[in-house]
Amino acid sequence: MTRLPDFRLETYFSRWEFTARYHLTASDVQTMTLGELLALADDQDRAAFENLSLGYTETYGDPALRETIAGMYERADAADVICFAGAEEALYLAMNVLLGAGDHAVVVTPSYQAAETVPLALCEVTGVALDPNRDWALDLDAVKAAIRPNTRVVSVNFPNNPTGKVISAADFTELARLCDERGIHLFSDEVYRGLERDAARTLPQAADLSERALSLNVTSKSLGLPGLRIGWIACRDRKLLSRLERAKHYTTICNSAPSEVLARIALKTRATILDRNRALIARNLPLFDAFFAEHPDLFEWRAPDGGCVAYPRYLGPDGVEEFCTRLVEEAGVLLLPAGIYRSELTPTPTDRFRIGVGRANPEQGLTAFAQWLRAGR
């Protein structure tokens, strides 16, 4: 395995995430307090949390948590679930288990950097770019053309970060069929599932479509609980899950016991939490619509199909990198410029920036943004 490059997003966030006054590029929805989450618990789970023994937990994850997670899928049970310390550990270990020298992977771009750089450190990788000129459409023919005899993984992310794109269920089902037909593992990052603007567009979960497919999810994004650091992979290939367990022995070994109980509470009440989060995004989107409508000479804006991030186009002559740098330095408003999402695999737009629409009370940040624009930048 070659040395991984700096993680551009995290490096950028280490400088600005907790110092910028207005975090307008958050990739998660507004979180809740521990008290608010515990208030959703039933008596049994609340007692389990209060009387928890702080010892080691099972590497696969708390059995009750895995049972709860399995209930989210149509064709998986608890034995088809393994838990991790967030989605990043799950992605990292899955790629290391699935890929090696001599293998090949296909990765959709743009996406979360690790989805590209971890496979690239292990084997040859071909990128398939979402098309910004066709509403970020995925070309299934391009995916087919990218597949080789030694392709082991096709990696996708819908709702997509950073574009907010959700492809059609028909296309997603066809993608799973295509991978199955060729003996390929479909790795599906589903961390924004549940935040679709139109619930009818919610995609099936990959693990329900194929025994070989891996569905990645986490409490961080749609549920807005990143502090729990609980993610998971659902996959009906139990031999593969066993390999993932052995790989996890070299990283976290097991998860945080309190976090597993809290994640269980959150997932049992996820309908309530998701209703709250979708309502928050629905309230926020008109504010962003109005903001961008006031500046048609500077921005092309489209609300996301799903998730809580969008990827508007910046039209200014100074370029998006300089624009975002000056905005955070001079106005304290944090956005993520396109350079964070550049790809070694495909051309990616250089005039976009990521903005988050899922945090409470974005008015202050948008006001500071607008004042800075009016002041002549």
Side-chain angles (χ1 to χ4, degrees):
M1 181 175 178
T2 60
R3 186 180 298 275
L4 289 167
D6 283 350
F7 207 122
R8 294 185 298 271
L9 183 149
E10 296 302 336
T11 301
Y12 199 76
F13 271 172
S14 70
R15 171 67 181 88
W16 293 113
E17 184 174 11
F18 298 104
T19 57
R21 292 190 295 280
Y22 309 106
H23 190 358
L24 272 188
T25 192
S27 63
D28 53 345
V29 290
Q30 185 69 33
T31 194
M32 60 179 64
T33 66
L34 178 60
E36 289 171 331
L37 180 57
L38 286 173
L40 297 175
D42 58 30
D43 291 342
Q44 182 178 357
D45 284 338
R46 189 177 300 107
F49 181 74
E50 292 172 350
N51 298 299
L52 182 65
S53 174
L54 297 176
Y56 287 109
T57 62
E58 297 183 26
T59 301
Y60 267 94
D62 167 55
L65 172 60
R66 294 168 64 210
E67 189 71 38
T68 301
I69 292 170
M72 299 166 57
Y73 298 84
E74 293 181 0
R75 303 186 66 185
D77 61 30
D80 302 317
V81 175
I82 182 169
C83 299
F84 296 94
E88 177 67 37
E89 182 190 33
L91 186 158
Y92 178 83
L93 292 181
M95 293 303 159
N96 275 273
V97 164
L98 291 168
L99 298 170
D103 291 333
H104 173 255
V106 177
V107 174
V108 168
T109 67
S111 192
Y112 188 62
Q113 182 181 333
E116 172 177 321
T117 53
V118 176
L120 267 175
L122 298 163
C123 66
E124 291 189 45
V125 183
T126 300
V128 175
L130 302 178
D131 187 349
N133 297 317
R134 295 194 300 125
D135 186 26
W136 303 107
L138 174 65
D139 185 343
L140 290 180
D141 288 335
V143 175
K144 292 179 186 177
I147 290 173
R148 305 176 185 176
N150 62 334
T151 301
R152 299 289 175 261
V153 172
V154 171
S155 175
V156 298
N157 164 221
F158 299 108
N160 179 257
N161 174 8
T163 67
K165 176 65 177 179
V166 177
I167 63 173
S168 72
D171 279 353
F172 190 68
T173 301
E174 173 61 17
L175 180 63
R177 188 202 63 78
L178 172 69
C179 289
D180 256 1
E181 183 179 78
R182 290 160 173 78
I184 295 168
H185 293 283
L186 175 61
F187 184 87
S188 177
D189 178 340
E190 299 166 358
V191 300
Y192 287 105
R193 191 173 190 273
L195 293 185
E196 295 79 10
R197 280 198 293 153
D198 178 0
R201 297 191 63 183
T202 303
L203 296 177
Q205 294 168 110
D208 286 328
L209 295 176
S210 165
E211 291 184 359
R212 301 178 60 85
L214 295 83
S215 285
L216 172 70
N217 216 320
V218 73
T219 59
S220 303
K221 304 302 184 182
S222 295
L223 295 178
L225 298 168
L228 296 185
R229 311 309 304 137
I230 296 293
W232 64 89
I233 285 174
C235 178
R236 288 182 281 145
D237 181 344
R238 294 182 186 175
K239 290 183 179 179
L240 175 56
L241 288 194
S242 179
R243 294 170 63 198
L244 286 170
E245 182 206 21
R246 294 195 297 275
K248 187 180 171 184
H249 292 160
Y250 275 94
T251 53
T252 56
I253 301 175
C254 66
N255 298 324
S256 158
S259 288
E260 288 193 324
V261 176
L262 293 170
R264 189 168 79 218
I265 293 168
L267 291 172
K268 284 183 176 180
T269 58
R270 65 188 179 278
T272 297
I273 297 174
L274 288 173
D275 282 349
R276 169 246 196 201
N277 293 345
R278 284 191 296 265
L280 177 60
I281 293 170
R283 174 197 173 277
N284 285 347
L285 281 175
L287 302 175
F288 288 89
D289 291 341
F291 172 85
F292 287 109
E294 290 180 2
H295 307 282
D297 57 324
L298 289 177
F299 307 108
E300 288 181 3
W301 158 255
R302 186 183 182 283
D305 297 331
C308 55
V309 293
Y311 210 39
R313 186 181 179 198
Y314 177 62
L315 306 175
D318 49 338
V320 76
E321 305 296 326
E322 180 181 342
F323 166 73
C324 288
T325 298
R326 289 190 58 200
L327 178 63
V328 69
E329 289 179 347
E330 297 172 12
V333 176
L334 178 60
L335 302 173
L336 282 180
I340 299 295
Y341 286 94
R342 69 180 182 271
S343 172
E344 301 300 321
L345 303 174
T346 71
T348 48
T350 58
D351 55 1
R352 302 273 175 162
F353 60 91
R354 192 185 82 179
I355 194 164
V357 298
R359 291 285 181 91
N361 305 314
E363 293 91 338
Q364 288 185 332
L366 290 173
T367 296
F369 195 171
Q371 290 174 342
W372 182 76
L373 291 173
R374 286 194 294 269
R377 295 171 300 171

